[in-house]
């Protein structure tokens, strides 16, 4: 299935080479964690993750056409 | 006279010794060179507090300053800066506060208040537009900071915005904070102690004027786009639910959560301190600063030994330093300790450090129950935390050495405790243990006010480019040290940019819309760099031996590997630290002892400062 991963601008600025928007091909039972691994986002570099308009986590199951938006961890105010 | 768009147009000077107040026009040169907020504070403290001034004497000056975005209807133009010579560090210090104070100050007609001298009796500063009075308030002396705010609101009315100190400020504990809006604090650098040294219990402000803006149409357009972008952001709800408490479990997962006086960076009980537990166990309702849709403030309730309290918080820093760093067991325990600190007027970051340091000294046998007055000062004890915090605020018993900070307490207690007094320049380390994050460690080492995270938070940079990598990391720290403090000059909160991803371009567009000035974002960053160097110059002017030795982390961080957790075995080496500092100084145009060169100061429009330091033989 195809899933779109969108990075917040702050994340893109933190990790050079990270695309703001990436479409990835994943197996049918893939999770958010799989999608983030597929776009090369290391563990610890993301905080809030939203699927469509729902807040999720690494174990949230994905479905075809989902759009995953990723925000950096809270950065100290 | 030209209208100062974005500014109220005057600075209020109050001589607390005589009670005489006078308003002076805001100088165009000051605005052009230093923007506002922290910039005004840095300039005025540098110019008006000569070397050798006692930070707790009448010669110190406390500058309370808004920025051009403060009080203007744009996302969270809420910030007020408090600046003075810090009693914690003996250097320049500042700390800012959210809430509603800055806008009210500008509506009263003032961009800054400069507080001088010392009131003959405990007093508060009353400001209602042009009416300015230093009013005696002996009956409030000794009262908690939150109770004082309530008492003044009852007397003056809810329309007044009020900043107060607690007993710790009155007693000049060097990490006493300024409280505002129940649970907001200018926590760092002992600004509450400076207020206490001036016999100033509170500042109460009410304003009815407006703030002129240069291009209302452009302001409405840009601010409208920003509010719309925030409202459409799906992550906003997480912020509204948990505020800053959400970071605790993440920080733990990557090995950055201060635990048991920074011996560890992973807390086995972190889930009990999480944002989710805050929301489910103790949360009452949400709260926002001026014009902020994020509403990160969380009113909570907590009980301990039959006493129920209502407070704002805890957020991440408090959860980290009071919670995991003192080994507490639940978010409710953290909240109760948070309330005690707020009422006493203690900075929760430094207080958490001070108590954790005491607990480690106690468990190692460096101090005993004889020293603690019978307190069983062990990690995990809320009772011990509360008793020690009260003694610190009163400067009694074991609280007396601790009231001067962990550096001073370590000097008094010895026994090798200097190695684990977690501070830089005398200011206790905030909530990110950095043995696995070299750029973050450098950010703490070089932060201009001491070990604070808010000037350059770069943990994600360490994760992104490699946690053991040293080369190139100083550049990110320097970059952040210009961008992030710029928000403190503008008088606007950073969260909407750094957490929810509002592009910096919005702020670049806001500046001309509000002020009518044609500075680009790069121009503003250059001013931020100027302020950074001016603050450094303050230290160089203050002490002949100020320099590289002041930028060192505690020995624990380069001698003790992390004992457990995801980063077990990690540490930064002594050689790494020297490499980081060399690279940092080179990028800044400072010599290898950390002193700005004449060339650098001149490049930044600080030729007069360069001449002064040159004449003193401090730089070359």
């Amino acid at each position: 299935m195809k899933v779109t991963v969108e990075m917040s601008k702050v994340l893109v600025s933190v990790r050079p080479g990270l695309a703001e928007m990436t479409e990835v091909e994943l197996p049918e039972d893939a999770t958010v964690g799989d999608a983030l691994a597929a776009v090369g986002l290391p563990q610890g570099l993301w905080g809030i993750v939203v699927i469509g308009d729902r807040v999720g986590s690494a174990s949230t199951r994905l479905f075809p056409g989902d759009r995953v938006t990723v925000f950096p961890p809270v950065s100290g105010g | 006279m030209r209208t100062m768009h974005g500014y109220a147009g005057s600075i209020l000077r109050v001589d607390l010794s005589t009670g005489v107040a006078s308003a002076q026009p805001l100088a165009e040169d000051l605005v052009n060179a230093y923007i506002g907020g922290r910039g005004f504070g840095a300039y005025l403290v540098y110019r008006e507090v000569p070397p050798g001034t006692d930070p707790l004497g009448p010669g110190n000056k406390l500058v309370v300053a808004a920025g051009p975005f403060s009080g203007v209807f744009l996302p969270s133009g809420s910030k007020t800066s408090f600046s003075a010579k810090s009693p914690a560090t003996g250097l320049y210090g500042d700390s800012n506060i959210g809430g509603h104070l800055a806008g009210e100050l500008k509506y009263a007609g003032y961009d800054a208040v400069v507080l001088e001298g010392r009131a003959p009796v405990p007093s508060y500063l009353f400001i209602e537009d042009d009416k300015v009075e230093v009013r005696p308030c002996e009956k409030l002396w000794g009262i908690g900071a939150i109770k004082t705010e309530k008492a003044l609101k009852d007397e003056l009315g809810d329309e007044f915005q009020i900043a107060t100190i607690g007993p710790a400020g009155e007693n000049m504990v060097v990490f006493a904070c300024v409280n505002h809006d129940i649970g907001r604090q200018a926590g760092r650098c002992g600004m509450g102690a400076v207020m206490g040294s001036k016999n100033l219990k509170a500042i109460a402000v009410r304003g009815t004027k407006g703030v002129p803006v240069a291009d209302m149409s452009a302001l409405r357009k840009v601010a409208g786009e920003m509010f719309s972008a925030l409202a459409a952001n799906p992550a906003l709800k997480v912020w509204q639910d948990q505020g800053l408490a959400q970071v605790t479990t993440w920080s733990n997962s990557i090995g950055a959560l201060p635990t048991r006086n920074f011996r560890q960076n992973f807390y086995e009980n972190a889930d009990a301190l999480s944002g989710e537990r805050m929301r489910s166990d103790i949360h009452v309702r949400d709260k926002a600063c001026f014009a902020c849709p994020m509403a990160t403030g969380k009113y909570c309730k907590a009980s301990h030994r039959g006493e129920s309290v209502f407070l704002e918080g805890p957020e991440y820093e408090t959860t980290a330093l009071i919670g995991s760093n003192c080994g507490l067991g639940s978010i409710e325990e953290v909240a109760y300790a948070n309330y005690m600190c707020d009422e006493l007027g203690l900075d929760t970051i430094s207080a958490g450090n001070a108590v954790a340091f005491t607990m480690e000294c106690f468990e190692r046998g460096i101090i005993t129950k004889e020293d603690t007055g019978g307190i069983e000062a062990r990690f995990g004890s809320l009772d011990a935390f509360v008793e020690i915090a009260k003694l610190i605020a009163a400067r009694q018993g074991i609280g007396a050495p601790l009231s001067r900070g962990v550096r001073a307490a370590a000097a008094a207690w010895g026994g090798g405790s200097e190695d684990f007094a977690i501070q830089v320049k005398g200011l206790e380390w905030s909530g990110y243990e950095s043995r696995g994050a070299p750029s973050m460690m450098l950010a703490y080492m070089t932060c201009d006010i001491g070990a604070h995270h808010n000037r350059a938070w770069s943990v994600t940079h360490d994760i992104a480019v490699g946690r053991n990598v040293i080369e190139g990391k100083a550049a990110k720290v320097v970059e952040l040290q210009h961008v992030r403090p710029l928000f403190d000059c503008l008088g606007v909160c950073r969260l909407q940019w750094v957490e929810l991803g509002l592009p910096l371009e919005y702020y670049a567009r806001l500046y001309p819309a509000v002020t009518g000035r044609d500075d680009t974002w790069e121009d503003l960053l250059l001013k931020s760099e100027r302020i950074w160097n001016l603050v450094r110059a303050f230290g160089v002017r203050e002490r002949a031996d100020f320099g590289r030795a002041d930028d060192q982390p505690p020995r624990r961080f380069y001698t003790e590997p992390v004992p457990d957790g995801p980063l077990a075995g990690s540490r930064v080496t002594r050689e790494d630290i020297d490499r980081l500092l060399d690279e940092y100084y080179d990028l800044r145009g400072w010599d290898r002892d950390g002193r700005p060169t004449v060339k650098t100061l001149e490049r930044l429009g600080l030729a007069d400062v360069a001449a002064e330091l040159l004449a003193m033989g401090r730089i070359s």
Side-chain angles (χ1 to χ4, degrees):
Chain A
M1 64 177 171
K2 282 189 166 54
V3 168
T4 304
V5 180
E6 182 188 10
M7 302 289 170
S8 90
K9 287 188 189 333
V10 176
L11 260 181
V12 174
S13 74
V14 164
R15 188 171 171 89
L18 208 58
E20 208 164 305
M21 195 84 75
T22 311
E23 193 175 71
V24 290
E25 184 73 40
L26 297 168
E28 289 305 310
D29 58 348
T31 63
V32 166
D34 298 326
L36 300 186
V39 299
L41 194 62
Q43 204 169 9
L45 202 53
W46 51 276
I48 299 170
V49 60
V50 177
I51 303 96
D53 59 359
R54 293 170 291 117
V55 176
S57 67
S59 59
T60 303
R61 172 90 186 271
L62 294 174
F63 295 93
D66 271 347
R67 184 190 184 93
V68 180
T69 311
V70 192
F71 295 86
V74 176
S75 64
Chain B
M1 194 176 74
R2 177 187 161 181
T3 300
M4 290 268 207
H5 292 112
Y7 296 88
S10 64
I11 290 179
L12 179 67
R13 283 183 181 274
V14 181
D15 183 342
L16 294 164
S17 301
T18 61
V20 173
S22 61
Q24 304 169 339
L26 185 63
E28 182 69 30
D29 289 351
L30 179 63
V31 171
N32 273 338
Y34 294 99
I35 305 170
R38 150 184 157 85
F40 285 178
Y43 175 82
L44 291 166
V45 171
Y46 186 91
R47 285 289 163 218
E48 299 186 15
V49 180
T53 300
D54 177 359
L56 297 172
N60 198 4
K61 299 196 179 184
L62 179 63
V63 179
V64 185
F69 289 1
S70 307
V72 177
F73 196 67
L74 49 87
S76 205
S78 63
K79 292 290 190 175
T80 314
S81 281
F82 289 73
S83 304
K85 184 176 183 180
S86 164
T89 65
L91 305 167
Y92 167 83
D94 68 41
S95 194
N96 70 65
I97 205 165
H100 304 264
L101 186 66
E104 205 69 36
L105 193 62
K106 285 171 74 174
Y107 304 154
Y110 313 107
D111 297 292
V113 180
V114 182
L115 296 157
E116 310 171 342
R118 181 177 191 271
V121 295
S123 303
Y124 78 93
L125 177 64
F126 173 92
I127 301 172
E128 188 174 28
D129 291 331
D130 300 335
K131 185 177 176 182
V132 179
E133 296 173 356
V134 179
R135 295 181 171 179
C137 66
E138 285 97 332
K139 68 177 191 292
L140 293 176
W141 206 249
I143 305 295
I146 301 170
K147 291 188 180 81
T148 298
E149 182 176 358
K150 184 172 185 318
L152 283 171
K153 286 241 178 191
D154 288 346
E155 182 181 326
L156 302 172
D158 272 343
E159 294 297 310
F160 276 80
Q161 296 301 328
I162 295 165
T164 65
I165 60 170
E170 297 168 11
N171 294 327
M172 293 179 272
V173 173
V174 303
F175 49 89
C177 62
V178 180
N179 283 262
H180 162 59
D181 199 22
I182 298 181
R184 296 275 155 178
Q185 286 84 27
R188 314 263 36 213
C189 298
M191 295 298 109
V194 177
M195 274 182 71
S197 75
K198 297 186 175 304
N199 251 342
L200 187 66
K201 181 68 178 175
I203 301 168
V205 188
R206 170 76 176 123
T208 61
K209 304 171 191 174
V211 178
V213 295
D215 187 339
M216 181 60 85
S217 172
L219 170 64
R220 290 178 66 170
K221 183 172 188 324
V222 183
E225 289 175 24
M226 294 170 84
F227 280 118
S228 296
L230 290 169
N233 191 318
L236 181 66
K237 186 173 184 325
V238 180
W239 282 91
Q240 292 170 336
D241 282 349
Q242 297 181 30
L244 284 149
Q246 66 184 277
V247 78
T248 306
T249 45
W250 171 82
S251 180
N252 198 46
S253 74
I254 59 119
L257 186 65
T259 301
R260 298 183 183 86
N261 197 36
F262 290 82
R263 273 192 312 215
Q264 300 153 273
N265 55 24
F266 176 79
Y267 188 42
E268 68 284 356
N269 199 25
D271 286 347
L273 309 181
S274 69
E276 289 88 349
R277 293 298 293 270
M278 182 273 294
R279 189 79 191 182
S280 65
D281 294 2
I282 60 172
H283 175 260
V284 177
R285 66 176 187 270
D286 302 332
K287 177 193 177 196
C289 294
F290 175 85
C292 179
M294 291 177 76
T296 61
K298 302 297 153 207
Y299 282 128
C300 292
K301 60 186 178 186
S303 299
H304 180 63
R305 298 202 179 279
E307 185 191 12
S308 295
V309 299
F310 179 78
L311 72 152
E312 181 183 343
E315 38 61 68
Y316 172 69
E317 291 295 328
T318 300
T319 304
L321 275 310
I322 289 181
S324 51
N325 207 40
C326 293
L328 296 190
S330 74
I331 194 69
E332 184 169 8
E333 288 193 345
V334 175
Y336 184 82
N338 187 167
Y339 171 82
M340 291 303 301
C341 288
D342 289 354
E343 265 295 67
L344 293 167
L346 291 169
D347 170 30
T348 53
I349 295 173
S350 286
N353 268 279
V355 175
F357 174 74
T358 306
M359 289 171 165
E360 180 160 1
C361 286
F362 185 84
E363 292 196 353
R364 284 171 177 261
I366 295 171
I367 57 171
T368 66
K369 279 173 86 165
E370 200 173 311
D371 301 299
T372 64
I375 299 169
E376 193 74 26
R378 295 193 181 280
F379 287 108
S381 171
L382 175 59
D383 287 332
F385 185 98
V386 171
E387 290 310 310
I388 295 168
K390 286 178 179 173
L391 288 170
I392 291 171
R395 296 181 67 176
Q396 291 174 352
I398 192 139
L402 290 168
S403 71
R404 293 182 287 120
V406 297
R407 181 171 66 176
W413 296 345
S417 61
E418 296 90 344
D419 290 358
F420 55 83
I422 309 300
Q423 53 80 32
V424 178
K425 300 179 179 66
L427 188 74
E428 289 76 16
W429 201 282
S430 61
Y432 301 93
E433 202 287 326
S434 305
R435 276 173 284 190
S439 78
M440 192 66 228
M441 187 170 289
L442 180 67
Y444 276 114
M445 289 156 54
T446 58
C447 175
D448 57 351
I449 57 168
H452 196 46
H453 61 279
N454 76 346
R455 304 294 207 250
W457 189 92
S458 55
V459 181
T460 44
H461 179 67
D462 285 301
I463 296 170
V465 304
R467 300 184 74 159
N468 296 320
V469 173
I470 298 297
E471 195 174 350
K473 287 203 167 165
K476 176 56 76 174
V477 173
V478 172
E479 175 196 331
L480 291 171
Q481 285 176 344
H482 296 161
V483 178
R484 292 173 62 104
L486 182 51
F487 284 73
D488 304 333
C489 300
L490 294 167
V492 65
C493 181
R494 271 182 293 272
L495 290 183
Q496 293 72 17
W497 157 58
V498 78
E499 313 295 8
L500 288 176
L502 276 189
L504 289 172
E505 289 79 3
Y506 279 127
Y507 298 90
R509 288 167 61 200
L510 280 176
Y511 188 76
V514 172
T515 68
R517 294 166 195 272
D518 57 7
D519 296 279
T520 64
W521 191 249
E522 286 66 34
D523 294 333
L524 294 175
L525 288 173
L526 187 69
K527 294 176 193 198
S528 188
E529 184 181 2
R530 175 183 300 137
I531 295 161
W532 193 269
N533 279 263
L534 185 70
V535 170
R536 189 73 178 184
F538 185 98
V540 173
R541 186 182 65 172
E542 188 68 31
R543 288 193 3 240
D545 62 349
F546 178 79
R548 192 179 184 108
D550 294 84
D551 296 334
Q552 302 299 321
R555 272 177 55 85
R556 160 160 288 168
F557 290 163
Y558 55 89
T559 57
E560 294 180 28
V562 177
D564 51 21
L567 294 186
S570 292
R571 70 182 166 99
V572 174
T573 67
R574 182 65 251 179
E575 293 71 32
D576 291 338
I577 287 163
D578 286 332
R579 278 177 62 201
L580 286 163
L581 276 179
D582 286 347
E583 193 179 330
Y584 177 86
Y585 293 154
D586 289 351
L587 286 167
R588 281 226 165 272
W590 297 355
D591 67 22
R592 287 290 175 93
D593 196 31
R595 291 158 182 262
T597 62
V598 171
K599 189 177 167 189
T600 295
L601 292 173
E602 288 179 343
R603 174 178 67 80
L604 294 168
L606 295 170
D608 53 340
V609 173
E612 182 185 17
L613 298 181
L614 201 55
M616 294 173 77
R618 297 284 166 86
I619 62 170
S620 55

